[in-house]
Amino acid sequence: MLLGKDEQALAAWYDSLGFVSQEMAREAALEEFRSMSSLDEYPAFKAKYQGRFLFNDNLEEEDYQPYVAANRFAYEMILNADGDVIVGGQTVNYNYDSFEQTMYYRVAQAAGNGDVTTRITQETKTNQVFIKTKKKKCWAWAYLVNDIVYIQVTAQKKNLFGWNDYKADYYFTFANRDYDATFLQNWKYLSSTLAGKVIGQGVWTSRISCNSRFEFGRKADMSQLSIADLTVMSSGTQPSSGWLHIEL
């Protein structure tokens, strides 16, 4: 239900409950981070949030901002700031312990080693791509949830305080591997970001918030879906850097 809400509707739902999610708590911490006047303030900021968010301790990578610790797709939407949620009357925590466990770290490392997994299957449920230039980074993840494929995008750019999240334009182009009508018959596009686009046509989106999730598509019927190739980049990165393959 929450994945189907846009930012305004989601915010209204949280307000109706008086609930602050882990994702919302990180956004508040990011505002505090961005208000720093120098990196001399960073040790105190990190100490304040050390037990709540994850940090990249490799200072050579110049990545100082806090990351959510949620260890499953979109759980930061339902966890509180400490990573807790009540399930069956009991409090359960769904946090990673270290930054090295996050998708940000693992995907970037895998890309550097040339071994990024690029196909989504019923077994893995997810795949990803990572693109990096001197001044910008872009992550894109595809998640299979029941019969819906969600895309999550994240972009960062380098400034005074190293790498930082920012709202970016994204470019998507996709094609059926066999380029036949079966692809259109079996996919139903739901996202307003991609609605009405045809195979092989590149699409620039409007500005999308960092870590946004949206539906790429779902099964229109019970027939076997064709293979689709989706490539994605953010403004300032190159499309040749990686393909995101989706197969159901």
PDB file of all heavy atoms in Angstrom, residues 6-26:
ATOM      1  N   ASP A   6       2.369   8.412  -3.556  1.00  0.00           N
ATOM      2  CA  ASP A   6       3.386   9.395  -3.893  1.00  0.00           C
ATOM      3  C   ASP A   6       3.854  10.084  -2.610  1.00  0.00           C
ATOM      4  O   ASP A   6       3.345   9.808  -1.519  1.00  0.00           O
ATOM      5  CB  ASP A   6       2.873  10.404  -4.920  1.00  0.00           C
ATOM      6  CG  ASP A   6       1.651  11.189  -4.432  1.00  0.00           C
ATOM      7  OD1 ASP A   6       1.475  11.341  -3.197  1.00  0.00           O
ATOM      8  OD2 ASP A   6       0.865  11.641  -5.284  1.00  0.00           O
ATOM      9  N   GLU A   7       4.834  10.979  -2.734  1.00  0.00           N
ATOM     10  CA  GLU A   7       5.442  11.584  -1.550  1.00  0.00           C
ATOM     11  C   GLU A   7       4.427  12.335  -0.692  1.00  0.00           C
ATOM     12  O   GLU A   7       4.460  12.257   0.538  1.00  0.00           O
ATOM     13  CB  GLU A   7       6.567  12.538  -1.981  1.00  0.00           C
ATOM     14  CG  GLU A   7       7.799  11.824  -2.528  1.00  0.00           C
ATOM     15  CD  GLU A   7       8.931  12.802  -2.809  1.00  0.00           C
ATOM     16  OE1 GLU A   7       9.016  13.826  -2.109  1.00  0.00           O
ATOM     17  OE2 GLU A   7       9.717  12.538  -3.729  1.00  0.00           O
ATOM     18  N   GLN A   8       3.513  13.084  -1.340  1.00  0.00           N
ATOM     19  CA  GLN A   8       2.549  13.876  -0.586  1.00  0.00           C
ATOM     20  C   GLN A   8       1.559  12.981   0.164  1.00  0.00           C
ATOM     21  O   GLN A   8       1.249  13.218   1.338  1.00  0.00           O
ATOM     22  CB  GLN A   8       1.789  14.823  -1.531  1.00  0.00           C
ATOM     23  CG  GLN A   8       2.630  15.935  -2.126  1.00  0.00           C
ATOM     24  CD  GLN A   8       3.578  15.470  -3.220  1.00  0.00           C
ATOM     25  OE1 GLN A   8       3.352  14.427  -3.838  1.00  0.00           O
ATOM     26  NE2 GLN A   8       4.627  16.232  -3.465  1.00  0.00           N
ATOM     27  N   ALA A   9       1.076  11.942  -0.507  1.00  0.00           N
ATOM     28  CA  ALA A   9       0.119  11.036   0.128  1.00  0.00           C
ATOM     29  C   ALA A   9       0.781  10.259   1.264  1.00  0.00           C
ATOM     30  O   ALA A   9       0.168  10.015   2.307  1.00  0.00           O
ATOM     31  CB  ALA A   9      -0.450  10.071  -0.913  1.00  0.00           C
ATOM     32  N   LEU A  10       2.036   9.884   1.058  1.00  0.00           N
ATOM     33  CA  LEU A  10       2.764   9.160   2.099  1.00  0.00           C
ATOM     34  C   LEU A  10       2.963  10.039   3.324  1.00  0.00           C
ATOM     35  O   LEU A  10       2.772   9.607   4.463  1.00  0.00           O
ATOM     36  CB  LEU A  10       4.105   8.671   1.554  1.00  0.00           C
ATOM     37  CG  LEU A  10       4.929   7.763   2.462  1.00  0.00           C
ATOM     38  CD1 LEU A  10       4.178   6.473   2.760  1.00  0.00           C
ATOM     39  CD2 LEU A  10       6.281   7.450   1.813  1.00  0.00           C
ATOM     40  N   ALA A  11       3.338  11.286   3.088  1.00  0.00           N
ATOM     41  CA  ALA A  11       3.541  12.215   4.203  1.00  0.00           C
ATOM     42  C   ALA A  11       2.242  12.428   4.978  1.00  0.00           C
ATOM     43  O   ALA A  11       2.241  12.482   6.216  1.00  0.00           O
ATOM     44  CB  ALA A  11       4.071  13.548   3.679  1.00  0.00           C
ATOM     45  N   ALA A  12       1.121  12.514   4.266  1.00  0.00           N
ATOM     46  CA  ALA A  12      -0.170  12.698   4.922  1.00  0.00           C
ATOM     47  C   ALA A  12      -0.530  11.482   5.762  1.00  0.00           C
ATOM     48  O   ALA A  12      -1.086  11.607   6.863  1.00  0.00           O
ATOM     49  CB  ALA A  12      -1.253  12.956   3.870  1.00  0.00           C
ATOM     50  N   TRP A  13      -0.212  10.290   5.268  1.00  0.00           N
ATOM     51  CA  TRP A  13      -0.504   9.064   6.010  1.00  0.00           C
ATOM     52  C   TRP A  13       0.309   9.011   7.301  1.00  0.00           C
ATOM     53  O   TRP A  13      -0.213   8.684   8.364  1.00  0.00           O
ATOM     54  CB  TRP A  13      -0.209   7.856   5.130  1.00  0.00           C
ATOM     55  CG  TRP A  13      -0.622   6.547   5.739  1.00  0.00           C
ATOM     56  CD1 TRP A  13      -1.880   6.016   5.792  1.00  0.00           C
ATOM     57  CD2 TRP A  13       0.230   5.597   6.403  1.00  0.00           C
ATOM     58  NE1 TRP A  13      -1.857   4.796   6.438  1.00  0.00           N
ATOM     59  CE2 TRP A  13      -0.578   4.508   6.824  1.00  0.00           C
ATOM     60  CE3 TRP A  13       1.597   5.564   6.667  1.00  0.00           C
ATOM     61  CZ2 TRP A  13      -0.071   3.413   7.489  1.00  0.00           C
ATOM     62  CZ3 TRP A  13       2.110   4.461   7.349  1.00  0.00           C
ATOM     63  CH2 TRP A  13       1.279   3.397   7.754  1.00  0.00           C
ATOM     64  N   TYR A  14       1.612   9.366   7.215  1.00  0.00           N
ATOM     65  CA  TYR A  14       2.441   9.402   8.417  1.00  0.00           C
ATOM     66  C   TYR A  14       1.899  10.427   9.417  1.00  0.00           C
ATOM     67  O   TYR A  14       1.847  10.165  10.624  1.00  0.00           O
ATOM     68  CB  TYR A  14       3.887   9.751   8.054  1.00  0.00           C
ATOM     69  CG  TYR A  14       4.660   8.631   7.398  1.00  0.00           C
ATOM     70  CD1 TYR A  14       5.460   8.875   6.286  1.00  0.00           C
ATOM     71  CD2 TYR A  14       4.625   7.330   7.891  1.00  0.00           C
ATOM     72  CE1 TYR A  14       6.183   7.872   5.683  1.00  0.00           C
ATOM     73  CE2 TYR A  14       5.335   6.314   7.294  1.00  0.00           C
ATOM     74  CZ  TYR A  14       6.119   6.581   6.186  1.00  0.00           C
ATOM     75  OH  TYR A  14       6.830   5.575   5.595  1.00  0.00           O
ATOM     76  N   ASP A  15       1.511  11.590   8.917  1.00  0.00           N
ATOM     77  CA  ASP A  15       0.994  12.639   9.800  1.00  0.00           C
ATOM     78  C   ASP A  15      -0.260  12.171  10.532  1.00  0.00           C
ATOM     79  O   ASP A  15      -0.464  12.503  11.703  1.00  0.00           O
ATOM     80  CB  ASP A  15       0.680  13.894   8.994  1.00  0.00           C
ATOM     81  CG  ASP A  15       1.927  14.649   8.572  1.00  0.00           C
ATOM     82  OD1 ASP A  15       2.995  14.386   9.155  1.00  0.00           O
ATOM     83  OD2 ASP A  15       1.831  15.487   7.661  1.00  0.00           O
ATOM     84  N   SER A  16      -1.093  11.394   9.841  1.00  0.00           N
ATOM     85  CA  SER A  16      -2.326  10.922  10.474  1.00  0.00           C
ATOM     86  C   SER A  16      -2.041   9.981  11.633  1.00  0.00           C
ATOM     87  O   SER A  16      -2.856   9.829  12.540  1.00  0.00           O
ATOM     88  CB  SER A  16      -3.210  10.220   9.436  1.00  0.00           C
ATOM     89  OG  SER A  16      -2.659   8.954   9.052  1.00  0.00           O
ATOM     90  N   LEU A  17      -0.877   9.347  11.613  1.00  0.00           N
ATOM     91  CA  LEU A  17      -0.485   8.430  12.685  1.00  0.00           C
ATOM     92  C   LEU A  17       0.430   9.080  13.711  1.00  0.00           C
ATOM     93  O   LEU A  17       0.659   8.522  14.782  1.00  0.00           O
ATOM     94  CB  LEU A  17       0.258   7.218  12.086  1.00  0.00           C
ATOM     95  CG  LEU A  17      -0.501   6.334  11.107  1.00  0.00           C
ATOM     96  CD1 LEU A  17       0.425   5.252  10.568  1.00  0.00           C
ATOM     97  CD2 LEU A  17      -1.707   5.700  11.768  1.00  0.00           C
ATOM     98  N   GLY A  18       0.993  10.231  13.355  1.00  0.00           N
ATOM     99  CA  GLY A  18       2.000  10.840  14.212  1.00  0.00           C
ATOM    100  C   GLY A  18       3.269  10.016  14.253  1.00  0.00           C
ATOM    101  O   GLY A  18       3.970   9.967  15.276  1.00  0.00           O
ATOM    102  N   PHE A  19       3.594   9.362  13.116  1.00  0.00           N
ATOM    103  CA  PHE A  19       4.720   8.427  13.057  1.00  0.00           C
ATOM    104  C   PHE A  19       5.880   9.026  12.274  1.00  0.00           C
ATOM    105  O   PHE A  19       5.684   9.658  11.230  1.00  0.00           O
ATOM    106  CB  PHE A  19       4.277   7.125  12.379  1.00  0.00           C
ATOM    107  CG  PHE A  19       5.372   6.105  12.207  1.00  0.00           C
ATOM    108  CD1 PHE A  19       5.883   5.437  13.305  1.00  0.00           C
ATOM    109  CD2 PHE A  19       5.888   5.811  10.948  1.00  0.00           C
ATOM    110  CE1 PHE A  19       6.899   4.490  13.156  1.00  0.00           C
ATOM    111  CE2 PHE A  19       6.890   4.872  10.789  1.00  0.00           C
ATOM    112  CZ  PHE A  19       7.390   4.211  11.893  1.00  0.00           C
ATOM    113  N   VAL A  20       7.097   8.827  12.784  1.00  0.00           N
ATOM    114  CA  VAL A  20       8.316   9.239  12.088  1.00  0.00           C
ATOM    115  C   VAL A  20       9.058   7.977  11.676  1.00  0.00           C
ATOM    116  O   VAL A  20       9.551   7.223  12.525  1.00  0.00           O
ATOM    117  CB  VAL A  20       9.216  10.120  12.985  1.00  0.00           C
ATOM    118  CG1 VAL A  20      10.516  10.462  12.260  1.00  0.00           C
ATOM    119  CG2 VAL A  20       8.475  11.394  13.384  1.00  0.00           C
ATOM    120  N   SER A  21       9.129   7.728  10.380  1.00  0.00           N
ATOM    121  CA  SER A  21       9.795   6.518   9.878  1.00  0.00           C
ATOM    122  C   SER A  21      11.304   6.693   9.896  1.00  0.00           C
ATOM    123  O   SER A  21      11.833   7.803  10.050  1.00  0.00           O
ATOM    124  CB  SER A  21       9.333   6.219   8.454  1.00  0.00           C
ATOM    125  OG  SER A  21       9.844   7.195   7.558  1.00  0.00           O
ATOM    126  N   GLN A  22      12.001   5.590   9.710  1.00  0.00           N
ATOM    127  CA  GLN A  22      13.458   5.630   9.624  1.00  0.00           C
ATOM    128  C   GLN A  22      13.905   6.520   8.459  1.00  0.00           C
ATOM    129  O   GLN A  22      14.883   7.263   8.568  1.00  0.00           O
ATOM    130  CB  GLN A  22      14.001   4.207   9.454  1.00  0.00           C
ATOM    131  CG  GLN A  22      15.513   4.100   9.547  1.00  0.00           C
ATOM    132  CD  GLN A  22      15.979   2.659   9.399  1.00  0.00           C
ATOM    133  OE1 GLN A  22      15.648   1.995   8.437  1.00  0.00           O
ATOM    134  NE2 GLN A  22      16.738   2.183  10.370  1.00  0.00           N
ATOM    135  N   GLU A  23      13.169   6.441   7.366  1.00  0.00           N
ATOM    136  CA  GLU A  23      13.480   7.260   6.198  1.00  0.00           C
ATOM    137  C   GLU A  23      13.323   8.745   6.510  1.00  0.00           C
ATOM    138  O   GLU A  23      14.168   9.568   6.139  1.00  0.00           O
ATOM    139  CB  GLU A  23      12.564   6.858   5.051  1.00  0.00           C
ATOM    140  CG  GLU A  23      12.891   7.499   3.723  1.00  0.00           C
ATOM    141  CD  GLU A  23      12.083   6.878   2.604  1.00  0.00           C
ATOM    142  OE1 GLU A  23      10.874   6.619   2.784  1.00  0.00           O
ATOM    143  OE2 GLU A  23      12.655   6.658   1.528  1.00  0.00           O
ATOM    144  N   MET A  24      12.262   9.084   7.203  1.00  0.00           N
ATOM    145  CA  MET A  24      12.023  10.479   7.582  1.00  0.00           C
ATOM    146  C   MET A  24      13.078  10.969   8.567  1.00  0.00           C
ATOM    147  O   MET A  24      13.541  12.110   8.482  1.00  0.00           O
ATOM    148  CB  MET A  24      10.631  10.617   8.200  1.00  0.00           C
ATOM    149  CG  MET A  24       9.491  10.316   7.233  1.00  0.00           C
ATOM    150  SD  MET A  24       7.907  10.090   8.109  1.00  0.00           S
ATOM    151  CE  MET A  24       7.660  11.734   8.780  1.00  0.00           C
ATOM    152  N   ALA A  25      13.469  10.105   9.492  1.00  0.00           N
ATOM    153  CA  ALA A  25      14.483  10.477  10.475  1.00  0.00           C
ATOM    154  C   ALA A  25      15.816  10.759   9.795  1.00  0.00           C
ATOM    155  O   ALA A  25      16.544  11.686  10.179  1.00  0.00           O
ATOM    156  CB  ALA A  25      14.637   9.364  11.516  1.00  0.00           C
ATOM    157  N   ARG A  26      16.136   9.970   8.766  1.00  0.00           N
ATOM    158  CA  ARG A  26      17.382  10.218   8.034  1.00  0.00           C
ATOM    159  C   ARG A  26      17.321  11.553   7.298  1.00  0.00           C
ATOM    160  O   ARG A  26      18.321  12.287   7.257  1.00  0.00           O
ATOM    161  CB  ARG A  26      17.658   9.101   7.039  1.00  0.00           C
ATOM    162  CG  ARG A  26      18.915   9.356   6.195  1.00  0.00           C
ATOM    163  CD  ARG A  26      19.162   8.271   5.186  1.00  0.00           C
ATOM    164  NE  ARG A  26      20.366   8.528   4.419  1.00  0.00           N
ATOM    165  CZ  ARG A  26      20.383   9.032   3.186  1.00  0.00           C
ATOM    166  NH1 ARG A  26      19.247   9.334   2.582  1.00  0.00           N
ATOM    167  NH2 ARG A  26      21.525   9.243   2.544  1.00  0.00           N
TER     168      ARG A  26
END
